[in-house]
Amino acid sequence: MSPYLQLSLVLVIIILAAKAGGWVSVRLHQPAVLGELLAGLILGPSVIDLLHLPIFTSPSLGETVLDLAELGAVLMMFIAGMEVELEEMGRAGRVAVLAGTLGVAAPLLMGALAALPFGFAGDEALFIGIILAATSVSISAQTLLELGVLRTREGLAMLGAAVVDDVLVIVVLSVFLALAGGGGGPAAVGLVLAKIVVYLALAGAFGWIVLPLLMRWVDRQPISEGLAALVFASVLLFAWGAEVVGGLAAITGAFLAGVGLGRSPLRYKTEGKIRTITYTFLVPVFFVSIGLQADVRSITGPALALLLVLLLVAVLSKIVGSGLGARLGGFNGRQAMRVGVGMISRGEVGLIVAAVGVSQGFVDPPLFSVVVVLVLLTTILTPALVRQVFPLGAPRPLIAEEG
């Protein structure tokens, strides 16, 4: 069987398995991403080891699947950027900013310290902290919506804090990667920071000013799907420029492209088309590819101990960090606890960060397997914990009612 046919068959299996896993997960009142991750674990070396079955002999098959998965991560972060409303973030208030900021700082520090006794070096330990700093907006939002408490004070503050959290994690990741690869000395660090500033300035000017004008012009031209093609090409260009020009992560460039394009009045004309391609094809490949790279059977001995310690840190650090931020922002103790618990779940951002760590050499395969299982466990724990701290039948006022 030719390499093309092998790739076609693998993609059929991956996409159908991801969608089936997501369907089962939703039917069990869990986020779809949980089922997609589990499908990947089943197809991966933990159970079936799909890519190494006798029928698949192409040496480039695994690399091609991973390339498509990275493209899925880029487009997923672009869509996340499109959903960020800068004005709403500005109105989210002190609670969201403090909860989001401390919700990044606490896991970063606690995760790095927890990794040190297991033999991880400084940069590796710090990268583990960055992975733990991420949270999942979609999982928390879905749980709150099911409970009917999404529009409460705590629910709205949690959503705002989750957006702040994700933005900060992307920034921290990009700065870390730039500095970690920039060599030593003040001059080298200054050069790295200058590249970041130059890229952000160019990307901001192009994304906020030029691209919206270009989109309006292309929309008036007789080009078949010209607008969608321009958006797709722009995302790839932003992602390419982030790494080549700014020394940042490609997902940062995609996120900035999303924020810029989100301001265009043509956003809704293109978002559906890009979302369809992304979530029909590339995102399932991304989530399943996580399982294809993880071997749960390797989590024994020290790796199992590390998983248990990081799980404890993952839970406590969000409750302490985000909860303390909400408390400092004016919430009472019970409200602050709810915000902290709602931020526990990691998810797509954490997996993207971990995948970047693998490509950059900060995360080895055993650690990656630990991270995947950690994401799964926090995804399972969060809905149950949220249901405990948000009692039903106790409506609370909305932020808008505070006057």
Side-chain angles (χ1 to χ4, degrees):
M1 188 163 50
S2 69
Y4 163 74
L5 292 178
Q6 292 183 43
L7 176 61
S8 299
L9 182 57
V10 162
L11 291 178
V12 168
I13 295 172
I14 287 175
I15 293 172
L16 293 181
K19 294 304 179 182
W23 177 80
V24 171
S25 186
V26 171
R27 296 286 292 181
L28 295 175
H29 306 290
Q30 297 296 327
V33 62
L34 176 61
E36 294 177 354
L37 288 171
L38 289 174
L41 286 175
I42 294 172
L43 293 178
S46 301
V47 182
I48 296 176
D49 202 6
L50 175 66
L51 297 181
H52 293 94
L53 292 178
I55 193 175
F56 298 119
T57 58
S58 172
S60 62
L61 183 61
E63 184 177 349
T64 303
V65 171
L66 293 181
D67 286 341
L68 291 173
E70 290 185 15
L71 183 58
V74 165
L75 289 175
M76 187 162 56
M77 293 308 300
F78 163 71
I79 292 174
M82 289 191 73
E83 294 177 352
V84 171
E85 299 288 349
L86 297 179
E87 294 79 7
E88 290 186 6
M89 283 185 61
R91 295 194 299 266
R94 184 181 177 189
V95 173
V97 173
L98 289 174
T101 302
L102 294 183
V104 169
L108 197 158
L109 295 176
M110 293 173 65
L113 292 175
L116 292 176
F118 291 91
F120 291 97
D123 284 347
E124 293 174 328
L126 186 58
F127 200 89
I128 291 175
I130 296 175
I131 293 173
L132 293 185
T135 194
S136 175
V137 180
S138 59
I139 293 170
S140 298
Q142 178 175 327
T143 305
L144 294 174
L145 186 61
E146 292 173 356
L147 293 176
V149 293
L150 185 62
R151 298 295 300 173
T152 60
R153 295 184 64 205
E154 300 96 311
L156 293 176
M158 194 184 307
L159 292 178
V163 173
V164 173
D165 184 297
D166 284 350
V167 172
L168 288 178
V169 167
I170 292 172
V171 172
V172 170
L173 171 65
S174 298
V175 172
F176 172 84
L177 292 177
L179 295 180
V189 173
L191 178 61
V192 169
L193 294 177
K195 289 173 62 179
I196 294 175
V197 171
V198 169
Y199 170 75
L200 292 178
L202 291 175
F206 187 77
W208 268 256
I209 301 173
V210 178
L211 199 50
L213 296 175
L214 188 58
M215 288 176 66
R216 286 196 290 271
W217 181 82
V218 169
D219 187 48
R220 296 192 298 267
Q221 307 308 310
I223 305 174
S224 176
E225 297 295 349
L227 194 58
L230 173 64
V231 171
F232 193 83
S234 298
V235 175
L236 298 182
L237 179 62
F238 270 67
W240 173 85
E243 289 205 3
V244 175
V245 178
L248 305 173
I251 59 174
T252 303
F255 185 83
L256 289 175
V259 174
L261 289 171
R263 298 176 60 252
S264 170
L266 297 172
R267 162 187 172 179
Y268 299 103
K269 191 172 182 177
T270 58
E271 183 178 10
K273 297 177 182 179
I274 301 298
R275 184 183 292 272
T276 298
I277 297 173
T278 302
Y279 284 92
T280 299
F281 173 37
L282 294 172
V283 167
V285 174
F286 170 73
F287 283 124
V288 171
S289 75
I290 299 296
L292 294 178
Q293 299 175 74
D295 187 358
V296 175
R297 294 176 299 180
S298 67
I299 304 178
T300 59
L304 179 59
L306 175 63
L307 172 62
L308 296 176
V309 170
L310 291 184
L311 178 61
L312 180 62
V313 170
V315 173
L316 293 180
S317 60
K318 285 294 183 181
I319 294 177
V320 172
S322 297
L324 177 60
R327 192 76 173 90
L328 294 175
F331 276 11
N332 61 37
R334 182 174 297 178
Q335 292 172 321
M337 171 65 77
R338 289 169 181 153
V339 173
V341 168
M343 299 285 285
I344 289 174
S345 176
R346 278 35 176 202
E348 48 271 24
V349 177
L351 292 174
I352 291 172
V353 172
V356 171
V358 172
S359 65
Q360 298 293 324
F362 294 104
V363 177
D364 57 20
L367 176 58
F368 189 78
S369 298
V370 168
V371 171
V372 172
V373 177
L374 176 66
V375 169
L376 288 171
L377 292 176
T378 57
T379 300
I380 295 171
L381 280 174
T382 299
L385 293 176
V386 168
R387 287 181 173 90
Q388 293 299 315
V389 298
F390 276 95
L392 296 177
R396 287 166 294 281
L398 304 180
I399 289 179
E401 294 176 1
E402 289 188 319

